[in-house]
Amino acid sequence: MSNSVKYIISILLIAISLSLLTYDSWNFSTAIHGEDTLFEQSKTGIVDIPLPLNEIEIIKNSQKKIQPIILLRPTACATCLNNLEDFKNLLKEREEFNDGVILFMNYERNAINHFMITTELDFSYEIIDSLQIHRSLRAPVVQNILFLNPENERVFYNEPIPNFTTTLESKRALLTQVDSLWKEQKNSQEI
């Protein structure tokens, strides 16, 4: 085999390797940030998903306000964590929202405890391994903020946690939109 053929084969192999590496790193990055959820694009925004509260202790007895539920992995990136801290602070400013809670789906307790200690996230949390909840949420769903109406036990809005820093104004706008939607639903149920 001549040197020019070896050279061409080497170039092709390098090009194929780089292509596979790029493709693989894209898949890895989306998996880290929760974009591999089974909530398809059509399932973000307004949704209608039943969620049995009798199996989730930390929100079973929540006040009858909008309940933010954060589905999270114990490997969330720093940007996602910063977004959560912003949401936590904004939720405290709004009387129509309960405090946000974190649900971890099917993760080991030690990994989650370590994650919560090292990240210093100040949220109530629970580990969920209920098959019924997984079916309701079409699990494995991770790194989304769900907004639950505790009166009818239905998730009515789903928002992926962005893997980039978003402005406080965009987060405020999201909470205003969720609040408006919740009020519309309450008014339509009363009629």
Side-chain angles (χ1 to χ4, degrees), residues 47 55 75 82 85 104 132 144 150 156 176:
V47 295
E55 297 191 38
T75 56
N82 289 338
E85 284 298 324
F104 293 98
Q132 184 177 3
N144 287 46
F156 66 93
T176 299

Side-chain angles (χ1 to χ4, degrees), residues 97-112:
F97 289 91
N98 290 321
D99 289 338
V101 297
I102 296 176
L103 296 184
F104 293 98
M105 309 275 276
N106 279 342
Y107 289 101
E108 292 182 21
R109 184 167 300 283
N110 289 340
I112 292 167

Side-chain angles (χ1 to χ4, degrees), residues 175-189:
L175 295 179
T176 299
Q177 180 182 2
V178 167
D179 178 42
S180 296
L181 180 61
W182 182 60
K183 288 175 180 170
E184 284 176 25
Q185 288 182 353
K186 284 184 73 160
N187 289 339
S188 69
Q189 289 172 356

Side-chain angles (χ1 to χ4, degrees), residues 29-49:
S29 110
T30 59
I32 287 176
H33 296 101
E35 296 168 20
D36 64 338
T37 66
L38 293 183
F39 274 118
E40 300 148 11
Q41 287 293 13
S42 63
K43 300 265 185 200
T44 59
I46 299 172
V47 295
D48 184 22
I49 302 169

Side-chain angles (χ1 to χ4, degrees), residues 60-189:
K60 192 185 323 187
N61 298 318
S62 67
Q63 296 178 8
K64 300 301 180 190
K65 301 180 194 177
I66 302 168
Q67 178 62 62
I69 301 171
I70 301 156
L71 300 175
L72 196 63
R73 290 182 179 185
T75 56
C77 69
T79 308
C80 295
L81 298 176
N82 289 338
N83 283 324
L84 289 180
E85 284 298 324
D86 288 347
F87 272 115
K88 181 177 181 67
N89 295 331
L90 291 172
L91 288 169
K92 286 184 179 192
E93 297 172 4
R94 312 276 307 241
E95 64 183 40
E96 60 275 8
F97 289 91
N98 290 321
D99 289 338
V101 297
I102 296 176
L103 296 184
F104 293 98
M105 309 275 276
N106 279 342
Y107 289 101
E108 292 182 21
R109 184 167 300 283
N110 289 340
I112 292 167
N113 290 338
H114 177 74
F115 174 78
M116 293 299 288
I117 290 168
T118 57
T119 60
E120 298 179 359
L121 280 176
D122 186 25
F123 283 89
S124 298
Y125 68 94
E126 189 169 336
I127 302 167
I128 300 297
D129 57 8
S130 162
L131 187 58
Q132 184 177 3
I133 291 174
H134 281 269
R135 285 184 183 140
S136 292
L137 296 176
R138 294 157 183 89
V141 177
V142 290
Q143 297 193 178
N144 287 46
I145 299 177
L146 308 176
F147 294 94
L148 173 83
N149 180 344
E151 293 174 4
N152 65 6
E153 298 187 1
R154 299 188 84 75
V155 173
F156 66 93
Y157 201 89
N158 169 45
E159 183 72 21
I161 299 170
N163 60 348
F164 52 89
T165 303
T166 57
T167 64
L168 284 176
E169 278 311 307
S170 66
K171 293 174 183 124
R172 279 189 186 101
L174 171 65
L175 295 179
T176 299
Q177 180 182 2
V178 167
D179 178 42
S180 296
L181 180 61
W182 182 60
K183 288 175 180 170
E184 284 176 25
Q185 288 182 353
K186 284 184 73 160
N187 289 339
S188 69
Q189 289 172 356

Side-chain angles (χ1 to χ4, degrees), residues 8-59:
I8 291 172
I9 290 173
S10 296
I11 296 293
L12 284 172
L13 288 175
I14 290 171
I16 290 170
S17 297
L18 288 174
S19 296
L20 290 173
L21 185 62
T22 303
Y23 174 76
D24 211 29
S25 68
W26 179 81
N27 282 338
F28 180 71
S29 110
T30 59
I32 287 176
H33 296 101
E35 296 168 20
D36 64 338
T37 66
L38 293 183
F39 274 118
E40 300 148 11
Q41 287 293 13
S42 63
K43 300 265 185 200
T44 59
I46 299 172
V47 295
D48 184 22
I49 302 169
L51 187 65
L53 293 185
N54 61 335
E55 297 191 38
I56 306 173
E57 286 298 318
I58 57 176
I59 56 177

